């Protein structure tokens, strides 16, 4: 594949933008390919190369690169009427009503502009609501580029995971291992009276997709109830993707106090939201005393796109389609791995999938249960399977970014370039895209 133009654009970008990109995950090796345009489930790069795109903008693009007619019409009409006003519009109410109607834990919602802004605001809201400072997060979890959650370590010994965050900020954040109920009980036993909230993705989708073990979220729910802390589900990725319109919380049957949203609810435009019980969400100014504000919040174009996106999903076989393709990919890749490379494991659910490297090939290749072993201590591969962020990092060798990702890209398949981010199917993808991708996997693995 020729990448001459992308290479040139990257050199130009490097001279005016740090690392040549506006989001660090886009800096693929040896250089990112620059996108010219999208087409259904595909992207075409600046050199005219076509790829099946499973990155899908890192999650927002439920319809791939073809907006359904009603979504496009909603966007166009709001652009034509002037893009934004700095005053409320009816479409914000309609979007909020849709979310409240379909997500039982949501009575009231505040729209913002990104998933990061949503989790920043949710943490502030929880602190304001409880009058406490400490936040419990999962080791290796990701909740955006924000001070309270870019923290690594253990409850006893932790600090910022990046330069630029004062140690004092990180003191208030307690990282515990996901799927370890005992660790959750211990952190509450030690710090319960100071914990404002537990912030957790219902499925750790931004850590190589780790599903909760049975009863884990119920344990968190009980601990929060017993100690007067809030349970915040970060559904920025899983919201309106896993579990359909009821979101992942409906799939697991656990009701959080607060939910953060992003990605899909903006229909491809910048968005975030904080929803939950009215008496908590009304803690935000001007109803309450926790300051929250934003020039672009509830942007009419985003609201129109997001509302039309969700309405279209409610009226068509969208989740059936994306979940069917997700299942086909997981099954197909799983077969290929079992046959050719048993040290790889496929994980995912609904319309999400990810191939992760495990540390060791099992002695018995038939022992592979495609990621379920993360949850089943009796499985022969349980010890070898990555179960936490640290495991994923330890298992992620250069093979993924420098070898596998490249091999797939050279075969016209665009995947996320690191071990943490997952892939998504969309309504625009076809069975043919799945077949072409499996063929590329067969060769690349
Ligand atoms: N929360 C989760 C679970 C995410 O995956 C992300 C981003 O990928 C965020 C929050 C932050 O969202 P954004 O990138 O829109 O700021």
């Amino acid at each position: 594949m020729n990448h001459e133009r992308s290479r040139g654009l990257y050199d130009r970008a490097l001279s005016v933008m740090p690392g040549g990109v506006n989001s660090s995950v886009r800096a693929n090796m040896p250089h990112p390919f620059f996108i010219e345009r999208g087409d259904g489930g595909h992207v075409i790069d600046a050199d005219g190369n076509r790829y099946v795109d499973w990155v899908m903008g890192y999650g927002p693009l439920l319809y791939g690169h073809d907006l359904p007619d009603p979504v496009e019409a909603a966007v166009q009409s709001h652009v034509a009427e002037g893009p934004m006003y700095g005053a409320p519009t009816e479409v914000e109410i309609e979007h909020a009503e849709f979310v409240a109607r379909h997500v039982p834990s949501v009575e009231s919602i505040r729209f913002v502009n990104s998933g990061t802004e949503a989790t920043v605001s949710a943490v502030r809201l929880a602190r304001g609501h409880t009058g406490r400072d400490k936040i419990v997060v999962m080791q290796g979890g990701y909740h955006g580029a924000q001070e309270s959650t870019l923290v690594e370590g253990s409850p006893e010994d932790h600090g910022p995971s990046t330069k630029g965050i004062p140690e004092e900020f990180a003191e208030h954040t307690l990282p515990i291992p996901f799927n370890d109920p005992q660790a959750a009980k211990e952190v509450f036993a030690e710090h319960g009276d100071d914990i404002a909230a537990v912030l957790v993705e219902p499925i750790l989708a931004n850590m190589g997709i780790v599903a909760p073990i049975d009863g884990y979220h119920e344990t968190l729910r009980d601990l929060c109830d017993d100690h007067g802390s809030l349970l915040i589900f970060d559904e920025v990725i899983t919201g309106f993707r896993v579990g359909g319109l009821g979101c992942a919380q409906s799939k697991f049957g656990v009701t959080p106090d607060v939910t953060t949203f992003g990605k899909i609810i903006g229909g491809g435009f910048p968005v975030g939201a904080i929803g939950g019980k009215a008496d908590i969400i009304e803690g935000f100014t001007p109803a309450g005393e926790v300051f929250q504000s934003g020039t672009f919040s509830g942007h009419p174009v985003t609201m129109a796109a997001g509302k039309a996106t969700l309405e279209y999903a409610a009226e068509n076989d969208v989740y059936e389609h994306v979940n069917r393709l997700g299942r086909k990919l997981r099954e197909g890749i799983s077969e290929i791995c079992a046959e050719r490379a048993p040290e790889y494991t496929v994980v995912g659910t609904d319309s999400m999938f990810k191939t992760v490297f495990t540390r060791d090939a099992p002695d018995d290749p038939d022992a592979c249960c495609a990621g379920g072993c993360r949850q089943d201590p009796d499985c022969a591969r349980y010890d070898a399977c990555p179960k936490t962020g640290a495991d994923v990092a330890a298992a992620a060798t250069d093979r993924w970014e420098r070898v596998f990702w490249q091999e797939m890209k050279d075969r016209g398949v665009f995947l996320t370039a690191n071990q943490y981010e997952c892939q998504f199917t969309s309504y625009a993808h076809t069975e043919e895209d799945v077949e072409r991708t499996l063929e590329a996997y067969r060769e690349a693995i």
Side-chain angles (χ1 to χ4, degrees), residues 23 25 57-60 113-119 141-146 199-207 234-238 260-263 270-272 421 424:
S23 178
V25 291
Y58 290 92
N113 305 292
S114 70
T116 298
E117 207 181 325
T119 61
Y142 181 70
H143 303 283
Q146 67 137 314
L199 173 59
V200 60
E201 278 190 280
I203 296 174
L204 264 61
N206 214 320
M207 198 178 81
D234 182 352
E235 295 230 39
V236 166
I237 288 188
T238 56
T260 52
F261 298 97
K263 308 220 186 222
V271 79
E421 308 275 356
F424 306 97

mmCIF file of all heavy atoms in Angstrom, residues 23 25 57-60 113-119 141-146 199-207 234-238 260-263 270-272 421 424, ligand 1:
data_model
loop_
_atom_site.group_PDB
_atom_site.id
_atom_site.type_symbol
_atom_site.label_atom_id
_atom_site.label_comp_id
_atom_site.label_asym_id
_atom_site.label_seq_id
_atom_site.Cartn_x
_atom_site.Cartn_y
_atom_site.Cartn_z
ATOM 1 N N SER A 23 -5.232 13.769 19.440
ATOM 2 C CA SER A 23 -5.575 12.828 20.512
ATOM 3 C C SER A 23 -4.506 11.741 20.463
ATOM 4 O O SER A 23 -4.233 11.199 19.374
ATOM 5 C CB SER A 23 -6.966 12.235 20.266
ATOM 6 O OG SER A 23 -7.283 11.304 21.276
ATOM 7 N N VAL A 25 -4.113 8.654 21.106
ATOM 8 C CA VAL A 25 -4.322 7.303 20.570
ATOM 9 C C VAL A 25 -4.272 7.251 19.047
ATOM 10 O O VAL A 25 -4.238 6.166 18.468
ATOM 11 C CB VAL A 25 -5.666 6.682 21.033
ATOM 12 C CG1 VAL A 25 -5.648 6.377 22.508
ATOM 13 C CG2 VAL A 25 -6.851 7.540 20.659
ATOM 14 N N GLY A 57 -14.501 5.741 14.888
ATOM 15 C CA GLY A 57 -14.340 6.976 15.667
ATOM 16 C C GLY A 57 -14.162 6.716 17.149
ATOM 17 O O GLY A 57 -14.481 7.566 17.968
ATOM 18 N N TYR A 58 -13.736 5.505 17.525
ATOM 19 C CA TYR A 58 -13.630 5.060 18.927
ATOM 20 C C TYR A 58 -14.996 4.977 19.606
ATOM 21 O O TYR A 58 -15.121 5.206 20.809
ATOM 22 C CB TYR A 58 -12.640 5.929 19.727
ATOM 23 C CG TYR A 58 -11.214 5.688 19.297
ATOM 24 C CD1 TYR A 58 -10.633 6.463 18.302
ATOM 25 C CD2 TYR A 58 -10.465 4.654 19.842
ATOM 26 C CE1 TYR A 58 -9.343 6.217 17.861
ATOM 27 C CE2 TYR A 58 -9.178 4.390 19.404
ATOM 28 C CZ TYR A 58 -8.612 5.172 18.412
ATOM 29 O OH TYR A 58 -7.347 4.923 17.977
ATOM 30 N N GLY A 59 -16.019 4.697 18.806
ATOM 31 C CA GLY A 59 -17.298 4.336 19.434
ATOM 32 C C GLY A 59 -18.554 5.101 19.081
ATOM 33 O O GLY A 59 -19.643 4.550 19.184
ATOM 34 N N PRO A 60 -18.455 6.378 18.672
ATOM 35 C CA PRO A 60 -19.711 7.120 18.490
ATOM 36 C C PRO A 60 -20.530 6.709 17.271
ATOM 37 O O PRO A 60 -21.726 6.974 17.232
ATOM 38 C CB PRO A 60 -19.239 8.572 18.298
ATOM 39 C CG PRO A 60 -17.826 8.610 18.751
ATOM 40 C CD PRO A 60 -17.270 7.233 18.547
ATOM 41 N N ASN A 113 -20.008 18.328 26.681
ATOM 42 C CA ASN A 113 -19.405 18.230 25.341
ATOM 43 C C ASN A 113 -18.463 17.059 25.100
ATOM 44 O O ASN A 113 -17.966 16.894 23.992
ATOM 45 C CB ASN A 113 -18.644 19.525 25.044
ATOM 46 C CG ASN A 113 -19.538 20.716 25.189
ATOM 47 O OD1 ASN A 113 -20.463 20.892 24.404
ATOM 48 N ND2 ASN A 113 -19.303 21.510 26.218
ATOM 49 N N SER A 114 -18.153 16.294 26.128
ATOM 50 C CA SER A 114 -17.267 15.143 25.926
ATOM 51 C C SER A 114 -17.467 14.182 27.093
ATOM 52 O O SER A 114 -18.020 14.556 28.139
ATOM 53 C CB SER A 114 -15.795 15.577 25.878
ATOM 54 O OG SER A 114 -15.378 15.991 27.161
ATOM 55 N N GLY A 115 -16.989 12.963 26.893
ATOM 56 C CA GLY A 115 -17.042 11.978 27.972
ATOM 57 C C GLY A 115 -16.205 12.435 29.157
ATOM 58 O O GLY A 115 -16.575 12.212 30.323
ATOM 59 N N THR A 116 -15.085 13.064 28.869
ATOM 60 C CA THR A 116 -14.227 13.561 29.948
ATOM 61 C C THR A 116 -14.980 14.592 30.795
ATOM 62 O O THR A 116 -14.981 14.522 32.025
ATOM 63 C CB THR A 116 -12.949 14.209 29.361
ATOM 64 O OG1 THR A 116 -12.224 13.209 28.648
ATOM 65 C CG2 THR A 116 -12.078 14.812 30.449
ATOM 66 N N GLU A 117 -15.626 15.519 30.101
ATOM 67 C CA GLU A 117 -16.365 16.556 30.837
ATOM 68 C C GLU A 117 -17.479 15.907 31.678
ATOM 69 O O GLU A 117 -17.774 16.368 32.795
ATOM 70 C CB GLU A 117 -16.969 17.528 29.818
ATOM 71 C CG GLU A 117 -17.175 18.913 30.369
ATOM 72 C CD GLU A 117 -17.811 19.833 29.325
ATOM 73 O OE1 GLU A 117 -17.522 19.710 28.113
ATOM 74 O OE2 GLU A 117 -18.624 20.672 29.749
ATOM 75 N N ALA A 118 -18.061 14.839 31.144
ATOM 76 C CA ALA A 118 -19.128 14.153 31.892
ATOM 77 C C ALA A 118 -18.567 13.538 33.177
ATOM 78 O O ALA A 118 -19.166 13.667 34.250
ATOM 79 C CB ALA A 118 -19.774 13.082 31.015
ATOM 80 N N THR A 119 -17.423 12.859 33.087
ATOM 81 C CA THR A 119 -16.902 12.210 34.301
ATOM 82 C C THR A 119 -16.340 13.246 35.286
ATOM 83 O O THR A 119 -16.453 13.063 36.495
ATOM 84 C CB THR A 119 -15.839 11.130 33.974
ATOM 85 O OG1 THR A 119 -14.734 11.717 33.304
ATOM 86 C CG2 THR A 119 -16.429 10.010 33.132
ATOM 87 N N GLY A 141 -8.615 1.197 34.597
ATOM 88 C CA GLY A 141 -9.819 1.729 33.943
ATOM 89 C C GLY A 141 -9.531 3.113 33.366
ATOM 90 O O GLY A 141 -8.555 3.766 33.745
ATOM 91 N N TYR A 142 -10.381 3.554 32.454
ATOM 92 C CA TYR A 142 -10.182 4.882 31.843
ATOM 93 C C TYR A 142 -11.498 5.645 31.856
ATOM 94 O O TYR A 142 -12.542 5.101 31.487
ATOM 95 C CB TYR A 142 -9.690 4.735 30.396
ATOM 96 C CG TYR A 142 -9.436 6.061 29.715
ATOM 97 C CD1 TYR A 142 -8.369 6.875 30.101
ATOM 98 C CD2 TYR A 142 -10.265 6.515 28.690
ATOM 99 C CE1 TYR A 142 -8.131 8.100 29.483
ATOM 100 C CE2 TYR A 142 -10.034 7.736 28.059
ATOM 101 C CZ TYR A 142 -8.970 8.516 28.459
ATOM 102 O OH TYR A 142 -8.735 9.728 27.845
ATOM 103 N N HIS A 143 -11.430 6.902 32.303
ATOM 104 C CA HIS A 143 -12.634 7.725 32.343
ATOM 105 C C HIS A 143 -12.385 9.091 31.725
ATOM 106 O O HIS A 143 -13.010 10.069 32.096
ATOM 107 C CB HIS A 143 -13.126 7.873 33.790
ATOM 108 C CG HIS A 143 -13.392 6.559 34.453
ATOM 109 N ND1 HIS A 143 -14.521 5.811 34.188
ATOM 110 C CD2 HIS A 143 -12.652 5.826 35.325
ATOM 111 C CE1 HIS A 143 -14.476 4.674 34.880
ATOM 112 N NE2 HIS A 143 -13.347 4.661 35.576
ATOM 113 N N GLY A 144 -11.430 9.146 30.781
ATOM 114 C CA GLY A 144 -11.139 10.410 30.123
ATOM 115 C C GLY A 144 -9.892 11.056 30.690
ATOM 116 O O GLY A 144 -9.274 10.549 31.633
ATOM 117 N N ALA A 145 -9.536 12.183 30.066
ATOM 118 C CA ALA A 145 -8.281 12.862 30.402
ATOM 119 C C ALA A 145 -8.496 13.815 31.573
ATOM 120 O O ALA A 145 -8.432 15.031 31.416
ATOM 121 C CB ALA A 145 -7.778 13.606 29.169
ATOM 122 N N GLN A 146 -8.793 13.265 32.744
ATOM 123 C CA GLN A 146 -9.104 14.142 33.875
ATOM 124 C C GLN A 146 -8.304 13.803 35.137
ATOM 125 O O GLN A 146 -7.906 12.662 35.367
ATOM 126 C CB GLN A 146 -10.603 14.097 34.178
ATOM 127 C CG GLN A 146 -11.112 12.757 34.708
ATOM 128 C CD GLN A 146 -12.069 12.963 35.867
ATOM 129 O OE1 GLN A 146 -11.763 13.756 36.765
ATOM 130 N NE2 GLN A 146 -13.185 12.270 35.852
ATOM 131 N N LEU A 199 -16.597 4.941 40.812
ATOM 132 C CA LEU A 199 -16.759 5.240 39.391
ATOM 133 C C LEU A 199 -16.251 4.038 38.607
ATOM 134 O O LEU A 199 -15.072 3.676 38.702
ATOM 135 C CB LEU A 199 -15.948 6.501 39.042
ATOM 136 C CG LEU A 199 -15.847 6.897 37.575
ATOM 137 C CD1 LEU A 199 -17.216 7.158 36.952
ATOM 138 C CD2 LEU A 199 -14.969 8.161 37.432
ATOM 139 N N VAL A 200 -17.141 3.405 37.837
ATOM 140 C CA VAL A 200 -16.764 2.154 37.167
ATOM 141 C C VAL A 200 -17.532 2.020 35.853
ATOM 142 O O VAL A 200 -18.688 2.428 35.756
ATOM 143 C CB VAL A 200 -17.053 0.939 38.102
ATOM 144 C CG1 VAL A 200 -18.525 0.841 38.470
ATOM 145 C CG2 VAL A 200 -16.585 -0.379 37.498
ATOM 146 N N GLU A 201 -16.844 1.482 34.834
ATOM 147 C CA GLU A 201 -17.570 1.100 33.617
ATOM 148 C C GLU A 201 -18.285 -0.219 33.908
ATOM 149 O O GLU A 201 -17.667 -1.134 34.480
ATOM 150 C CB GLU A 201 -16.592 0.841 32.468
ATOM 151 C CG GLU A 201 -16.103 2.041 31.730
ATOM 152 C CD GLU A 201 -15.337 1.601 30.480
ATOM 153 O OE1 GLU A 201 -14.163 1.232 30.588
ATOM 154 O OE2 GLU A 201 -15.930 1.606 29.399
ATOM 155 N N PRO A 202 -19.537 -0.377 33.486
ATOM 156 C CA PRO A 202 -20.222 -1.659 33.747
ATOM 157 C C PRO A 202 -19.479 -2.838 33.122
ATOM 158 O O PRO A 202 -19.434 -3.927 33.688
ATOM 159 C CB PRO A 202 -21.597 -1.479 33.104
ATOM 160 C CG PRO A 202 -21.694 -0.087 32.651
ATOM 161 C CD PRO A 202 -20.394 0.610 32.833
ATOM 162 N N ILE A 203 -18.897 -2.616 31.935
ATOM 163 C CA ILE A 203 -17.928 -3.556 31.354
ATOM 164 C C ILE A 203 -16.692 -2.706 31.110
ATOM 165 O O ILE A 203 -16.821 -1.618 30.530
ATOM 166 C CB ILE A 203 -18.411 -4.089 29.989
ATOM 167 C CG1 ILE A 203 -19.681 -4.904 30.158
ATOM 168 C CG2 ILE A 203 -17.334 -4.902 29.304
ATOM 169 C CD1 ILE A 203 -20.296 -5.341 28.841
ATOM 170 N N LEU A 204 -15.530 -3.158 31.536
ATOM 171 C CA LEU A 204 -14.360 -2.313 31.304
ATOM 172 C C LEU A 204 -13.991 -2.364 29.819
ATOM 173 O O LEU A 204 -13.170 -3.159 29.377
ATOM 174 C CB LEU A 204 -13.192 -2.724 32.221
ATOM 175 C CG LEU A 204 -13.118 -1.868 33.494
ATOM 176 C CD1 LEU A 204 -14.372 -1.986 34.328
ATOM 177 C CD2 LEU A 204 -11.913 -2.182 34.316
ATOM 178 N N ALA A 205 -14.665 -1.493 29.056
ATOM 179 C CA ALA A 205 -14.521 -1.513 27.600
ATOM 180 C C ALA A 205 -13.241 -0.825 27.166
ATOM 181 O O ALA A 205 -12.735 -1.072 26.080
ATOM 182 C CB ALA A 205 -15.728 -0.831 26.964
ATOM 183 N N ASN A 206 -12.740 0.052 28.011
ATOM 184 C CA ASN A 206 -11.512 0.766 27.647
ATOM 185 C C ASN A 206 -10.306 0.141 28.324
ATOM 186 O O ASN A 206 -9.313 0.805 28.624
ATOM 187 C CB ASN A 206 -11.641 2.247 28.014
ATOM 188 C CG ASN A 206 -10.916 3.106 27.008
ATOM 189 O OD1 ASN A 206 -9.830 2.741 26.556
ATOM 190 N ND2 ASN A 206 -11.486 4.222 26.632
ATOM 191 N N MET A 207 -10.384 -1.149 28.588
ATOM 192 C CA MET A 207 -9.245 -1.874 29.167
ATOM 193 C C MET A 207 -9.159 -3.241 28.500
ATOM 194 O O MET A 207 -8.930 -4.250 29.139
ATOM 195 C CB MET A 207 -9.441 -2.016 30.671
ATOM 196 C CG MET A 207 -8.172 -2.345 31.416
ATOM 197 S SD MET A 207 -8.444 -2.453 33.180
ATOM 198 C CE MET A 207 -9.102 -4.105 33.329
ATOM 199 N N ASP A 234 -19.932 4.561 34.363
ATOM 200 C CA ASP A 234 -19.435 5.297 33.199
ATOM 201 C C ASP A 234 -19.861 4.515 31.958
ATOM 202 O O ASP A 234 -19.254 3.508 31.599
ATOM 203 C CB ASP A 234 -17.905 5.441 33.278
ATOM 204 C CG ASP A 234 -17.357 6.238 32.109
ATOM 205 O OD1 ASP A 234 -18.119 6.544 31.175
ATOM 206 O OD2 ASP A 234 -16.146 6.551 32.123
ATOM 207 N N GLU A 235 -20.927 5.006 31.322
ATOM 208 C CA GLU A 235 -21.437 4.335 30.113
ATOM 209 C C GLU A 235 -21.099 5.148 28.858
ATOM 210 O O GLU A 235 -21.860 5.170 27.887
ATOM 211 C CB GLU A 235 -22.951 4.089 30.234
ATOM 212 C CG GLU A 235 -23.320 3.113 31.345
ATOM 213 C CD GLU A 235 -24.262 1.990 30.860
ATOM 214 O OE1 GLU A 235 -24.078 1.486 29.732
ATOM 215 O OE2 GLU A 235 -25.167 1.646 31.640
ATOM 216 N N VAL A 236 -19.949 5.835 28.906
ATOM 217 C CA VAL A 236 -19.536 6.619 27.740
ATOM 218 C C VAL A 236 -19.389 5.698 26.515
ATOM 219 O O VAL A 236 -19.828 6.048 25.417
ATOM 220 C CB VAL A 236 -18.224 7.384 28.035
ATOM 221 C CG1 VAL A 236 -17.593 7.930 26.760
ATOM 222 C CG2 VAL A 236 -18.501 8.528 29.006
ATOM 223 N N ILE A 237 -18.818 4.519 26.715
ATOM 224 C CA ILE A 237 -18.714 3.565 25.597
ATOM 225 C C ILE A 237 -19.942 2.667 25.523
ATOM 226 O O ILE A 237 -20.528 2.473 24.468
ATOM 227 C CB ILE A 237 -17.456 2.676 25.738
ATOM 228 C CG1 ILE A 237 -16.200 3.498 25.443
ATOM 229 C CG2 ILE A 237 -17.527 1.479 24.783
ATOM 230 C CD1 ILE A 237 -14.919 2.692 25.361
ATOM 231 N N THR A 238 -20.345 2.106 26.659
ATOM 232 C CA THR A 238 -21.402 1.080 26.622
ATOM 233 C C THR A 238 -22.804 1.666 26.437
ATOM 234 O O THR A 238 -23.709 0.950 26.002
ATOM 235 C CB THR A 238 -21.383 0.237 27.917
ATOM 236 O OG1 THR A 238 -21.501 1.128 29.049
ATOM 237 C CG2 THR A 238 -20.099 -0.556 28.048
ATOM 238 N N THR A 260 -22.695 8.343 33.432
ATOM 239 C CA THR A 260 -22.101 9.268 32.470
ATOM 240 C C THR A 260 -22.250 8.668 31.077
ATOM 241 O O THR A 260 -22.086 7.467 30.882
ATOM 242 C CB THR A 260 -20.619 9.531 32.772
ATOM 243 O OG1 THR A 260 -19.927 8.279 32.891
ATOM 244 C CG2 THR A 260 -20.453 10.316 34.055
ATOM 245 N N PHE A 261 -22.588 9.534 30.140
ATOM 246 C CA PHE A 261 -22.745 9.121 28.738
ATOM 247 C C PHE A 261 -21.799 9.940 27.863
ATOM 248 O O PHE A 261 -21.266 10.968 28.282
ATOM 249 C CB PHE A 261 -24.181 9.391 28.246
ATOM 250 C CG PHE A 261 -25.249 8.638 28.984
ATOM 251 C CD1 PHE A 261 -25.947 9.243 30.027
ATOM 252 C CD2 PHE A 261 -25.578 7.331 28.630
ATOM 253 C CE1 PHE A 261 -26.953 8.568 30.695
ATOM 254 C CE2 PHE A 261 -26.587 6.647 29.297
ATOM 255 C CZ PHE A 261 -27.274 7.267 30.331
ATOM 256 N N GLY A 262 -21.655 9.493 26.611
ATOM 257 C CA GLY A 262 -20.880 10.232 25.609
ATOM 258 C C GLY A 262 -21.083 9.536 24.277
ATOM 259 O O GLY A 262 -22.087 8.848 24.069
ATOM 260 N N LYS A 263 -20.141 9.680 23.392
ATOM 261 C CA LYS A 263 -20.076 8.933 22.119
ATOM 262 C C LYS A 263 -21.419 8.842 21.386
ATOM 263 O O LYS A 263 -21.839 9.803 20.774
ATOM 264 C CB LYS A 263 -19.471 7.560 22.373
ATOM 265 C CG LYS A 263 -18.133 7.700 23.145
ATOM 266 C CD LYS A 263 -17.045 6.801 22.713
ATOM 267 C CE LYS A 263 -15.843 6.913 23.618
ATOM 268 N NZ LYS A 263 -14.565 6.935 22.982
ATOM 269 N N PRO A 270 -19.518 16.096 19.064
ATOM 270 C CA PRO A 270 -18.966 16.074 20.430
ATOM 271 C C PRO A 270 -20.053 16.136 21.498
ATOM 272 O O PRO A 270 -20.908 17.020 21.453
ATOM 273 C CB PRO A 270 -18.094 17.337 20.487
ATOM 274 C CG PRO A 270 -17.828 17.699 19.075
ATOM 275 C CD PRO A 270 -19.031 17.234 18.289
ATOM 276 N N VAL A 271 -19.989 15.197 22.466
ATOM 277 C CA VAL A 271 -21.048 15.147 23.473
ATOM 278 C C VAL A 271 -20.599 14.424 24.729
ATOM 279 O O VAL A 271 -19.657 13.624 24.718
ATOM 280 C CB VAL A 271 -22.300 14.417 22.903
ATOM 281 C CG1 VAL A 271 -22.130 12.907 22.927
ATOM 282 C CG2 VAL A 271 -23.582 14.802 23.651
ATOM 283 N N GLY A 272 -21.271 14.710 25.812
ATOM 284 C CA GLY A 272 -21.173 13.960 27.047
ATOM 285 C C GLY A 272 -22.452 14.248 27.808
ATOM 286 O O GLY A 272 -23.215 15.160 27.433
ATOM 287 N N GLU A 421 -7.977 -0.199 23.672
ATOM 288 C CA GLU A 421 -9.185 0.246 22.958
ATOM 289 C C GLU A 421 -9.799 -0.922 22.198
ATOM 290 O O GLU A 421 -9.083 -1.745 21.637
ATOM 291 C CB GLU A 421 -8.810 1.340 21.942
ATOM 292 C CG GLU A 421 -8.018 2.490 22.516
ATOM 293 C CD GLU A 421 -8.889 3.568 23.129
ATOM 294 O OE1 GLU A 421 -10.129 3.455 23.033
ATOM 295 O OE2 GLU A 421 -8.325 4.510 23.688
ATOM 296 N N PHE A 424 -15.598 -1.781 17.127
ATOM 297 C CA PHE A 424 -17.056 -1.706 17.113
ATOM 298 C C PHE A 424 -17.630 -2.061 15.744
ATOM 299 O O PHE A 424 -17.079 -1.630 14.727
ATOM 300 C CB PHE A 424 -17.518 -0.283 17.444
ATOM 301 C CG PHE A 424 -16.943 0.243 18.731
ATOM 302 C CD1 PHE A 424 -15.817 1.053 18.727
ATOM 303 C CD2 PHE A 424 -17.527 -0.077 19.951
ATOM 304 C CE1 PHE A 424 -15.280 1.538 19.910
ATOM 305 C CE2 PHE A 424 -17.006 0.404 21.135
ATOM 306 C CZ PHE A 424 -15.876 1.207 21.125
HETATM 307 N N1 LIG B 1 -15.110 7.230 29.776
HETATM 308 C C1 LIG B 1 -14.843 6.158 29.024
HETATM 309 C C2 LIG B 1 -15.245 4.794 29.497
HETATM 310 C C3 LIG B 1 -14.192 6.295 27.801
HETATM 311 O O1 LIG B 1 -13.913 5.229 27.053
HETATM 312 C C4 LIG B 1 -13.822 7.598 27.373
HETATM 313 C C5 LIG B 1 -13.135 7.794 26.098
HETATM 314 O O2 LIG B 1 -12.859 6.909 25.331
HETATM 315 C C6 LIG B 1 -14.127 8.677 28.194
HETATM 316 C C7 LIG B 1 -14.773 8.464 29.400
HETATM 317 C C8 LIG B 1 -13.758 10.054 27.787
HETATM 318 O O3 LIG B 1 -14.542 10.457 26.699
HETATM 319 P P1 LIG B 1 -14.031 11.595 25.709
HETATM 320 O O4 LIG B 1 -12.887 11.014 24.940
HETATM 321 O O5 LIG B 1 -15.237 11.915 24.861
HETATM 322 O O6 LIG B 1 -13.617 12.749 26.532
#
